[in-house]
Amino acid sequence: MDTQAQGSSAMTAPAEAPFVNLRDPARRLGPDGKPAVSRRGPMWADVPDEKWNDWRWQLSNRVNDLADIEQILELTDEEREGLSAPDKFRVDVTPYFISLIEPKDPDDPIRRQIIPLGRELHSFTGMMEDSLAEDRHSPVPGLVHRYPDRVLMLITTQCASYCRYCTRSRIVGDATQNFNRKEHEAQLDYIRRTPQVRDVLISGGDGLTLAPKLLESAIRGLREIPHVEIIRIGSRVPVFLPQRIDDELCEMLAKYHPLWLNIHVNHPGEMTPELARACDKLTRAGIPLGNQSVLLAGINDCVHIQRELVQRLVEIRVRPYYIYQCDLVEGAGHFRTPVGKGLEIMEGLRGHTSGYAVPQYIVDAPGGGGKIPVMPNYLVSYSDHKVILRNYEGYITTYEEPTEYTPHDSTGCRYCQNPRPEPGQEGLTGLLDGKRMWIEPAGFEQVHDRGATETHRLKDPSKWVPYGVGAIEGRVAQGGGPLPVLEAGVAASEANGGSGVEPKRVYGPGEEPRPADGQPTGTANHELL
Ligand SMILES: *Cc1c(COP(=O)(O)O)cnc(C)c1O
Ligand code: SF4
């Protein structure tokens, strides 16, 4: 009886209201109960919503000159100087993005990314026009082939807005240097003829600013090449022009899977409800999203800003991928930070927040060596049986290596027997096989052949220390008297009167002799292990 009563009351109860997930940033509502929107600049207050939300309207109403920008922001003298410079990198900002700026704050982090300063015109040590030597690695215009299995395909020089620190400011923004159908065909043709290319990264400029038909024909051209496994797009459109991420675009992209996309957000202030909805659409179209950011002085060179940024990204299902050290490109000198700042930020992320929220910190090698990850040291020391590690709090732990380990049997492994070839890249694949690539440090010269003990001699003899490792200038001198200065090309034994006996060295605190090959260092040997 009881059970029946309960059953019938459950049947007559009103249907439960569908669950509304207001925690999802893409579903957030504004005070009016409609989907949340970001601030809109007063000069566009009367623009009807259909226009404001139309990406074509946003693109054709971008602001680009001093007079227009002055109506939106209170400009400083240095910004006026930057905006009036005749030969500057292009300025063009969507009404949506410029509206996010606090008009009275000259240090606003969004403003500093898109409004030029007079300082942009200053040069600095190491500055280059093409700091990644992309032009030298281009077999056909706009295609950069630097790594064994993947290429960068620049399909346009145009962007939705222009970032002052842009690595490719030598071509980006310049409509006279644009890539079009003819260049796309030459790029596709190179990829067709180069079967080791299994990953193509579409960038520019920004591919998502291309006319939809032209974009689709380039993507389809790639998808028709059987050896192209994945297609990736690097785009700042979701940030500058989220209106462009419409259903039509997402349906088009979803036809060409597997396709991945990296967005480019530098500061939590760029994380708007519009961006959240754009990313939601893209992920629903099955496109995994990553974020690439650039470490920029005065914008995001702060552990707390970075932690907020990566956590807000994960909240909209965007995985932080890379944080780049600012390149040595013209116009970007005032954005540069020391590498130590990037390491400090990485220390503040690893262990302190979800692993999903931790990007990799990258220095893109000046001169075109490719991306180099830079990591704080978590590996303190190791010997043949123990590994000393430290955690994010500085706690030191020992990991005991296995006493028995049967090395992988490559003769019975079909992957080892049939490895993917890396034509033209033998130096890199050979690194672990003992085939070394030799990169000469700045200021050093090679005095002997490869493999000899005294390669890389510092050119300035006043900076020479006889036995290198562990001998710290000055401190050695205190204990061991003045340093003998070697002549170029003269071995240490000859400098010591040709007796063949090496001079006896006195080592101060913290200094130690260079261990023989294969031996652990003294510190690891006696104190830690
Ligand atoms: C960044 C880049 C790539 C892609 O590198 P990943 O580390 O695989 O993301 C490919 N080619 C060039 C020239 C690049 O600059
Ligand atoms: S969106 Fe990318 S390519 Fe375009 S200006 Fe910014 S950094 Fe350069």
Side-chain angles (χ1 to χ4, degrees):
M1 181 70 200
D2 249 338
T3 354
Q4 266 183 357
Q6 267 175 16
S8 71
S9 79
M11 273 159 73
T12 52
E16 225 179 278
F19 179 68
V20 182
N21 177 4
L22 293 174
R23 190 65 192 76
D24 178 355
R27 301 281 164 289
R28 227 157 256 176
L29 301 178
D32 57 0
K34 295 192 196 142
V37 290
S38 339
R39 177 169 63 195
R40 194 195 284 198
M43 74 181 283
W44 296 290
D46 298 331
V47 174
D49 288 352
E50 313 86 82
K51 277 197 172 153
W52 182 260
N53 295 324
D54 174 351
W55 62 271
R56 290 185 172 87
W57 183 89
Q58 287 281 341
L59 273 185
S60 49
N61 284 276
R62 285 183 289 182
V63 286
N64 45 40
D65 67 10
L66 180 69
D68 283 349
I69 296 174
E70 202 140 36
Q71 291 188 22
I72 305 158
L73 309 175
E74 280 182 22
L75 292 177
T76 64
D77 288 346
E78 206 194 343
E79 286 174 323
R80 276 197 202 93
E81 186 197 341
L83 284 163
S84 337
D87 236 2
K88 64 180 178 300
F89 178 51
R90 177 159 161 194
V91 177
D92 235 346
V93 196
T94 55
Y96 157 81
F97 198 67
I98 204 168
S99 293
L100 303 178
I101 296 174
E102 176 50 62
K104 290 186 194 318
D105 178 7
D107 300 323
D108 182 287
I110 292 181
R111 175 175 186 147
R112 291 280 52 86
Q113 293 181 52
I114 49 161
I115 305 293
L117 290 176
R119 261 173 281 179
E120 229 173 66
L121 310 167
H122 300 178
S123 55
F124 58 87
T125 313
M127 182 175 96
M128 290 172 264
E129 191 193 16
D130 177 13
S131 77
L132 306 180
E134 293 189 323
D135 295 343
R136 264 197 283 131
H137 287 103
S138 293
V140 291
L143 197 92
V144 188
H145 192 176
R146 169 167 301 147
Y147 298 102
D149 67 339
R150 53 208 190 278
V151 292
L152 172 66
M153 180 174 172
L154 307 179
I155 63 172
T156 175
T157 59
Q158 305 297 296
C159 297
S161 301
Y162 295 92
C163 318
R164 306 320 300 166
Y165 51 82
C166 180
T167 296
R168 297 200 188 98
S169 52
R170 68 184 186 284
I171 46 168
V172 161
D174 184 346
T176 66
Q177 292 203 59
N178 211 355
F179 304 111
N180 246 311
R181 216 178 270 279
K182 192 167 133 266
E183 287 78 19
H184 296 173
E185 197 33 59
Q187 295 170 341
L188 291 169
D189 193 48
Y190 174 83
I191 299 169
R192 272 183 218 116
R193 289 185 280 110
T194 316
Q196 73 258 36
V197 174
R198 45 161 287 283
D199 171 0
V200 180
L201 167 50
I202 296 178
S203 183
D206 197 322
L208 296 191
T209 62
L210 270 187
K213 282 209 177 98
L214 195 52
L215 173 64
E216 178 162 8
S217 81
I219 296 180
R220 175 177 303 173
L222 283 174
R223 212 9 110 219
E224 283 168 353
I225 302 175
H227 57 263
V228 171
E229 294 168 9
I230 58 169
I231 299 174
R232 299 195 253 174
I233 299 177
S235 173
R236 216 177 177 194
V237 157
V239 174
F240 285 145
L241 184 66
Q243 297 79 9
R244 176 69 187 93
I245 311 300
D246 53 15
D247 294 337
E248 199 186 333
L249 177 73
C250 292
E251 277 162 32
M252 185 280 275
L253 294 174
K255 285 195 277 176
Y256 301 101
H257 276 310
L259 187 141
W260 296 58
L261 194 145
N262 262 332
I263 65 170
H264 172 171
V265 188
N266 292 318
H267 188 277
E270 296 158 54
M271 310 275 311
T272 61
E274 289 86 349
L275 175 66
R277 290 193 290 266
C279 291
D280 186 62
K281 274 189 198 292
L282 290 165
T283 50
R284 277 166 201 275
I287 304 168
L289 298 181
N291 183 59
Q292 321 204 61
S293 64
V294 183
L295 178 54
L296 298 165
I299 293 174
N300 59 14
D301 51 343
C302 158
V303 174
H304 303 284
I305 292 175
Q306 290 285 350
R307 203 183 307 163
E308 179 73 12
L309 171 65
V310 294
Q311 289 174 348
R312 296 292 73 79
L313 284 164
V314 170
E315 205 180 21
I316 60 169
R317 286 173 280 144
V318 175
R319 167 83 157 97
Y321 181 62
Y322 285 158
I323 169 168
Y324 287 101
Q325 179 71 4
C326 188
D327 288 325
L328 301 175
V329 65
E330 279 174 19
H334 58 291
F335 288 121
R336 296 178 59 211
T337 66
V339 170
K341 178 51 76 177
L343 288 171
E344 181 197 332
I345 287 167
M346 295 309 292
E347 289 274 10
L349 297 179
R350 169 56 64 198
H352 296 271
T353 189
S354 323
Y356 274 131
V358 182
Q360 213 173 87
Y361 175 38
I362 297 285
V363 173
D364 216 335
K371 298 181 177 73
I372 300 179
V374 189
M375 280 259 277
N377 283 328
Y378 294 98
L379 177 63
V380 178
S381 181
Y382 71 93
S383 72
D384 56 356
H385 66 287
K386 276 183 181 175
V387 183
I388 313 278
L389 303 163
R390 67 132 175 119
N391 80 347
Y392 69 103
E393 299 161 303
Y395 175 83
I396 291 183
T397 186
T398 302
Y399 176 84
E400 193 74 42
E401 291 276 62
T403 49
E404 275 174 47
Y405 166 66
T406 313
H408 174 67
D409 172 17
S410 57
T411 55
C413 169
R414 72 182 170 93
Y415 298 96
C416 288
Q417 291 311 312
N418 194 15
R420 190 170 214 283
E422 295 192 341
Q425 306 268 339
E426 276 73 20
L428 294 175
T429 53
L431 186 63
L432 290 178
D433 301 335
K435 288 186 219 151
R436 278 170 292 183
M437 290 275 284
W438 211 269
I439 299 169
E440 222 172 301
F444 285 69
E445 62 187 342
Q446 213 157 315
V447 285
H448 296 295
D449 283 342
R450 281 182 178 203
T453 44
E454 279 186 294
T455 352
H456 297 171
R457 177 166 295 184
L458 196 58
K459 279 177 189 154
D460 176 0
S462 70
K463 303 233 173 83
W464 289 0
V465 174
Y467 300 111
V469 177
I472 299 163
E473 244 180 304
R475 291 177 60 203
V476 174
Q478 286 162 24
L483 296 173
V485 173
L486 305 184
E487 297 292 324
V490 179
S493 53
E494 285 172 49
N496 195 32
S499 64
V501 181
E502 302 206 326
K504 187 151 172 50
R505 299 291 322 289
V506 179
Y507 296 98
E511 301 165 4
E512 58 189 52
R514 179 177 206 152
D517 277 353
Q519 290 300 304
T521 63
T523 310
N525 216 9
H526 303 302
E527 289 163 30
L528 280 172
L529 292 182

